[in-house]
Amino acid sequence: MLDFSKNYFDLFSLPVGYTVDSRSLAERYRELQRVMHPDRYANATEQERRLSVQSASLINEAFETLKDPIARAGYLLTLHGVEIDAQSESTQDMDFLMQQMALRETLEAIPDQPDPYEAIIALRSMIDKRITDLVAQMAVHFETPTEERLEAAREILRKMCFLQKLHAEAERVEAALEDELN
Amino acid sequence: MALLQIAEPGQAQAPHQHRLAAGIDLGTTNSLVATVRSGRAETLPDDEGRHLLPSVVRYREGTVLVGYDAKRAETEDPLNTISSAKRLIGRGVDDIKTLGSRLPYRFVQQQTSAPRIQTVAGDVSPVEVSAEILKVLAQRAEDTLDGELSGVVITVPAYFDEAQRQATKDAAKLAGLHVLRLLNEPTAAAVAYGLDQGAEGVHAIYDLGGGTFDISILRLNKGVFEVMATGGDSALGGDDFDRVLAEWIMQQAGIDSDADHAQLKRLMHAGCAAKEALSEADETSIRVVLEDGAHWEGGLLRSEFNDLVDPLIKKTLIACRRALRDAGVTVEEVQEVVMVGGSTRVPRVRERVGELFGAQPLVAMDPDRVVAVGAAIQADILAGNKPDDEMLLLDVIPLSLGLETMGGLTEKLVNRNTTIPVARAQEFTTFKDGQTAMAIHVVQGDRELVSDCRSLARFELRSIPPMVAGAARIRVTFAVDADGLLSVSAIEQSSGVQASIEVKPSYGLTDNEIETMLRDSIAHAGEDKRARDLREQQVEADRVIEALEAALAEDGERLLNQEERRQVASALDGLRSVARADQRQVIKAAIAALEKRCGFYVERRMNQSIQQAMSGHKVDEFE
């Protein structure tokens, strides 16, 4: 059965670090599910079925965490002993906060744009680009994780969470636009 | 070193004994059963060569009719003839009022929120109606295969919520079937289609049935069917097309909206006939008998029909867009869109779906049968008939799971489109000094307000050790299994006390109700409940013995030392000696004892599977 005390990287036999080879990750995820998924134990005893469900759930959780650059950063910080409540902590970086406000205003003005659909797609890709930029910055800090660097990583994560929330809101606006277009 | 003798002479199982299994597509309008025979999955016909079984059950005093015989009586005996039970299953009385005020049944008002329908044979629940359909299909499979089914895979709409899934599983239990898996209909279709065509890449499955609509976006990769996102509407289907046509006829013919049940059924049939005619022709004529015996006749063009159903099709397209966005893929990345379900025969549906995806939708397989065929393929694998098969289905939860928090808001616990199985833990604390119980309300849906989501269940945590307010740390784990069913466990962290949980399903049946129904149904069959429980336990004992024997034969020598092997063998003997005992408790205790003694071996085997899967991958291969 699965060793539940292993960290997610060990589970997939991947080196602990921010940069993850997504192809290997996906491949190993499938390999693990091939042997642990409840479908493999449909005829097994109750005990085995129970263990299989628990293991497969952990594998799914680990995969979700490592796949997503924001969840991965949070998880790595935890592994380094930095507990973060990224949803409620907020950055003090004024420049960043100003940019955020500008993005938010753009989002609110979308329904008034001549082509709101076009505008929301442009906004979404702008948010995506900012997240990608932060992902690149994040990677550097985990290469040699000193205390200062971890603190810097934490600050980036706070910003990522901001952008993630905005992204979710942009998706909601997009969904609403589509409903009207249809 | 000699291998220990582990099987008594004459008791050894053949290594790959073929187990009979079937896939069942329990549809709103029609149901099917399929099975794999000589390597081919095919749907099974009845004595008269008909593959479809209308999902209609007619209750008469002392007898129950299912299928064509029941369907024929729909207009003459509408109150006792239940069709579209799938629309009602796992729903509450209030839901049903909002989704179909025109349902021609008499609902019984009662305390539990699960609806019951009045018939001449007594009150029946949608679960019982579905069980009748399942029984007929299982019997058909057993007659064809000439043996008892060891298990079935039953398909459900991907967009079914937890309550609807649980109710479907309850129906199977009531029908005396062992459910290997509840499989999502579009995923089943993808299996049938993917294996047949050797497809790879991103595919969309558009499944419009009689009463439900699903869209699933899947990635097919070397036998792995990975659902990326799913969406839909569990109360939208071909029935609704019939209904808008019926309403149109009523308007044209000046029929009052309070027409009687028989009249409504006749109108629905006329609507359905017109819809089917317009799938072939550009216009059709409609003729209905009015209550006073006179006739109304009119014509309908396909273009008029299209205008009538367009709003319904539009709803499905909105769901398609959302699923694409959730999956994170663009329309261009979708290689093919596969049409499933009888309602995709409507040309307008194909046309609009084709427009959205910018490609001709694929209709290579019979849209009525493809789901049952996929279910049969998975049933065959799950039954253990293809131990080396590489196929793996990774499905998702269609709607977010959440908890009610202060002010009637939901807090999301598991987001929609998360791969299952999944488990999430949440910590709670007490509000008052000495508090020993707390209530938790679990809901399903993506809206912010609890009142806009489906209520799944209310849990009460009891026996929390009394402490000062805020000191107790109760960790509640919500687990969704591969069938999409929820279970909850709780433990108080600081004391390690297991809090007991009392589940009150909001719309489903309680264990007691199922128990009562089972007793009643068995009483009808002239069978003893105790005998049935005993047999179930004996079957479980056989399963445990068989699994352990197979394990020992495979790797007992390698993974266990002599002492351990002796220990396992003696535990096995212990169970064998009581496997045919006539007391359920004795067998149950023996199974528990064996699991305790051999648990280490089970864990070691699973661990080994993991190591094998990961062998060849070392961390340092990247360095």
Side-chain angles (χ1 to χ4, degrees):
Chain A
M1 83 157 243
L2 216 51
D3 183 354
F4 285 83
S5 63
K6 272 189 179 176
N7 78 47
Y8 294 167
F9 292 95
D10 289 349
L11 199 60
F12 293 106
S13 296
L14 291 168
V16 179
Y18 190 66
T19 309
V20 167
D21 177 9
S22 58
R23 222 159 93 202
S24 307
L25 176 66
E27 256 170 39
R28 284 164 203 204
Y29 166 69
R30 282 188 217 117
E31 283 166 11
L32 281 177
Q33 286 295 23
R34 266 191 215 278
V35 295
M36 293 315 288
H37 194 273
D39 279 4
R40 290 280 175 263
Y41 294 87
N43 253 305
T45 60
E46 228 179 285
Q47 185 185 23
E48 286 169 291
R49 291 204 299 270
R50 203 170 50 237
L51 287 171
S52 141
V53 172
Q54 286 170 2
S55 304
S57 302
L58 180 73
I59 295 165
N60 279 333
E61 180 75 30
F63 182 54
E64 291 287 322
T65 306
L66 297 193
K67 197 170 57 169
D68 172 44
I70 300 177
R72 188 166 70 233
Y75 181 69
L76 258 180
L77 279 172
T78 324
L79 282 188
H80 282 106
V82 181
E83 288 298 332
I84 173 164
D85 184 3
Q87 298 303 320
S88 55
E89 288 181 15
S90 67
T91 173
Q92 301 300 322
D93 182 336
M94 283 317 282
D95 283 351
F96 178 82
L97 290 173
M98 296 298 281
Q99 278 178 9
Q100 279 297 114
M101 269 170 61
L103 285 174
R104 235 162 238 288
E105 277 164 19
T106 315
L107 180 63
E108 276 159 27
I110 291 246
D112 310 325
Q113 297 292 321
D115 187 346
Y117 198 62
E118 205 49 40
I120 190 80
I121 288 171
L123 178 67
R124 270 220 293 149
S125 62
M126 198 193 303
I127 299 170
D128 284 340
K129 164 126 195 354
R130 299 226 168 145
I131 294 178
T132 315
D133 290 347
L134 290 175
V135 167
Q137 289 177 34
M138 186 72 97
V140 180
H141 294 302
F142 282 112
E143 277 165 18
T144 45
T146 61
E147 207 169 305
E148 283 131 55
R149 294 212 152 217
L150 288 175
E151 199 43 56
R154 181 184 189 150
E155 170 69 5
I156 296 174
L157 182 56
R158 291 180 189 127
K159 293 178 180 171
M160 282 177 162
C161 290
F162 257 106
L163 288 163
Q164 192 181 33
K165 271 185 212 156
L166 193 64
H167 196 273
E169 277 166 46
E171 283 195 343
R172 269 198 290 278
V173 172
E174 191 179 333
L177 282 175
E178 274 172 1
D179 291 2
E180 283 169 30
L181 278 181
N182 244 287
Chain B
M1 189 174 57
L3 186 67
L4 278 175
Q5 178 96 38
I6 49 165
E8 286 175 37
Q11 279 206 343
Q13 295 274 358
H16 294 301
Q17 190 196 27
H18 190 83
R19 292 192 189 86
L20 301 181
I24 295 177
D25 174 1
L26 183 60
T28 312
T29 323
N30 293 298
S31 297
L32 291 110
V33 61
T35 186
V36 175
R37 283 189 294 174
S38 354
R40 269 189 63 83
E42 50 195 13
T43 53
L44 305 177
D46 65 6
D47 298 343
E48 293 175 45
R50 300 172 298 199
H51 289 251
L52 296 178
L53 176 76
S55 304
V56 185
V57 178
R58 183 185 184 193
Y59 288 88
R60 306 184 70 178
E61 274 171 76
T63 55
V64 178
L65 296 174
V66 180
Y68 287 99
D69 295 338
K71 193 182 161 95
R72 264 193 295 276
E74 242 181 334
T75 45
E76 77 186 61
D77 187 18
L79 293 176
N80 299 306
T81 309
I82 319 296
S83 57
S84 301
K86 192 175 178 178
R87 285 194 165 228
L88 312 176
I89 201 163
R91 289 180 179 275
V93 177
D94 300 340
D95 291 333
I96 288 166
K97 279 184 194 140
T98 57
L99 93 123
S101 51
R102 290 179 189 281
L103 283 171
Y105 309 123
R106 280 191 300 230
F107 290 101
V108 187
Q109 288 295 339
Q110 55 172 29
Q111 285 186 324
T112 55
S113 46
R116 295 182 76 81
I117 301 162
Q118 253 174 37
T119 75
V120 287
D123 300 346
V124 296
S125 71
V127 172
E128 289 161 285
V129 177
S130 301
E132 295 297 341
I133 299 166
L134 290 173
K135 276 186 215 165
V136 170
L137 292 170
Q139 191 59 51
R140 184 189 291 182
E142 294 193 337
D143 290 347
T144 314
L145 299 172
D146 197 19
E148 202 181 328
L149 287 176
S150 76
V152 293
V153 167
I154 300 175
T155 60
V156 290
Y159 213 60
F160 252 20
D161 65 31
E162 204 265 353
Q164 291 167 305
R165 286 167 197 269
Q166 187 61 59
T168 304
K169 205 166 177 180
D170 290 344
K173 194 173 172 188
L174 214 51
L177 297 174
H178 172 61
V179 179
L180 294 164
R181 182 73 68 236
L182 294 178
L183 177 62
N184 287 331
E185 286 159 11
T187 311
V191 167
Y193 167 81
L195 294 183
D196 190 61
Q197 317 264 327
E200 294 275 301
V202 178
H203 284 67
I205 314 285
Y206 180 100
D207 181 356
L208 189 60
T212 59
F213 166 67
D214 281 330
I215 173 75
S216 281
I217 314 291
L218 292 103
R219 191 191 298 281
L220 277 56
N221 183 321
K222 296 181 210 120
V224 181
F225 294 74
E226 191 183 348
V227 179
M228 304 165 79
T230 197
D233 190 332
S234 59
L236 173 66
D239 281 6
D240 297 284
F241 288 34
D242 302 348
R243 186 165 296 114
V244 293
L245 284 175
E247 280 163 9
W248 180 82
I249 298 168
M250 287 169 87
Q251 217 174 28
Q252 300 294 311
I255 301 169
D256 285 343
S257 55
D258 58 356
D260 70 20
H261 293 319
Q263 173 75 339
L264 288 175
K265 283 267 183 185
R266 276 199 299 274
L267 288 169
M268 288 287 282
H269 283 175
C272 183
K275 172 185 76 179
E276 286 174 7
L278 288 173
S279 290
E280 305 293 330
D282 284 331
E283 62 176 307
T284 186
S285 58
I286 301 167
R287 186 182 153 91
V288 284
V289 185
L290 304 177
E291 260 165 277
D292 58 8
H295 287 96
W296 174 85
E297 258 188 85
L300 183 65
L301 295 173
R302 190 192 272 181
S303 59
E304 293 172 295
F305 168 79
N306 289 351
D307 289 343
L308 287 171
V309 298
D310 262 352
L312 297 171
I313 300 175
K314 181 178 149 184
K315 276 189 176 179
T316 70
L317 299 180
I318 291 172
C320 288
R321 285 180 200 274
R322 193 176 85 159
L324 284 167
R325 191 170 42 243
D326 283 355
V329 296
T330 60
V331 165
E332 293 76 34
E333 287 172 79
V334 177
Q335 300 195 346
E336 253 160 347
V337 48
V338 181
M339 301 298 257
V340 181
S343 305
T344 59
R345 290 207 174 83
V346 173
R348 183 64 169 171
V349 171
R350 293 185 184 179
E351 187 185 324
R352 296 296 309 273
V353 173
E355 276 168 25
L356 174 67
F357 286 93
Q360 196 69 21
L362 211 86
V363 286
M365 296 179 92
D366 183 338
D368 283 325
R369 298 193 196 177
V370 63
V371 167
V373 165
I377 293 170
Q378 204 209 11
D380 190 43
I381 293 173
L382 294 185
N385 293 331
K386 286 185 159 183
D388 299 323
D389 200 277
E390 289 283 278
M391 187 175 96
L392 178 64
L393 311 184
L394 299 168
D395 225 308
V396 299
I397 181 169
L399 295 148
S400 302
L401 270 186
L403 299 175
E404 177 169 355
T405 61
M406 296 288 184
L409 297 176
T410 53
E411 184 178 311
K412 285 207 184 140
L413 207 59
V414 181
N415 284 324
R416 68 163 189 260
N417 292 320
T418 300
T419 308
I420 51 174
V422 60
R424 289 285 149 80
Q426 181 96 351
E427 231 172 66
F428 296 91
T429 191
T430 44
F431 194 63
K432 283 189 199 150
D433 289 346
Q435 185 179 339
T436 58
M438 68 172 59
I440 292 172
H441 185 199
V442 186
V443 297
Q444 191 163 27
D446 287 282
R447 305 283 294 277
E448 253 172 88
L449 290 177
V450 165
S451 51
D452 292 333
C453 294
R454 274 314 294 292
S455 169
L456 285 188
R458 290 174 192 273
F459 299 102
E460 267 185 31
L461 298 182
R462 292 170 190 280
S463 57
I464 299 168
M467 288 182 227
V468 291
R473 281 166 46 235
I474 301 120
R475 191 178 166 81
V476 183
T477 305
F478 300 84
V480 180
D481 67 14
D483 289 330
L485 299 177
L486 175 73
S487 62
V488 182
S489 60
I491 192 161
E492 201 289 306
Q493 298 274 76
S494 58
S495 64
V497 172
Q498 193 91 29
S500 67
I501 295 178
E502 197 186 322
V503 186
K504 285 184 197 138
S506 303
Y507 296 108
L509 303 164
T510 61
D511 285 349
N512 279 338
E513 283 175 290
I514 294 173
E515 200 64 5
T516 312
M517 283 181 188
L518 266 176
R519 249 199 316 270
D520 291 353
S521 71
I522 293 161
H524 275 297
E527 211 183 357
D528 186 78
K529 155 99 171 115
R530 209 173 298 161
R532 185 188 166 107
D533 283 350
L534 176 64
R535 210 175 55 229
E536 263 175 23
Q537 203 62 61
Q538 287 171 343
V539 169
E540 176 64 16
D542 289 345
R543 197 196 306 278
V544 172
I545 292 170
E546 207 182 307
L548 199 54
E549 282 174 347
L552 282 169
E554 197 182 309
D555 56 29
E557 186 96 354
R558 198 152 35 88
L559 291 183
L560 300 173
N561 65 32
Q562 203 171 354
E563 176 48 36
E564 288 168 336
R565 270 206 302 281
R566 194 168 294 136
Q567 192 185 330
V568 171
S570 97
L572 198 50
D573 279 341
L575 179 57
R576 269 203 214 101
S577 64
V578 298
R580 285 287 166 272
D582 52 11
Q583 274 176 302
R584 181 168 162 267
Q585 282 307 327
V586 171
I587 305 176
K588 202 173 170 177
I591 293 176
L594 178 134
E595 287 188 347
K596 205 170 165 191
R597 286 176 73 186
C598 301
F600 76 95
Y601 178 38
V602 170
E603 290 181 13
R604 207 176 283 178
R605 296 194 77 228
M606 285 184 143
N607 210 5
Q608 187 197 239
S609 309
I610 301 250
Q611 275 165 8
Q612 273 170 356
M614 288 289 103
S615 69
H617 300 312
K618 292 228 174 60
V619 171
D620 58 21
E621 79 186 61
F622 292 93
E623 290 167 356

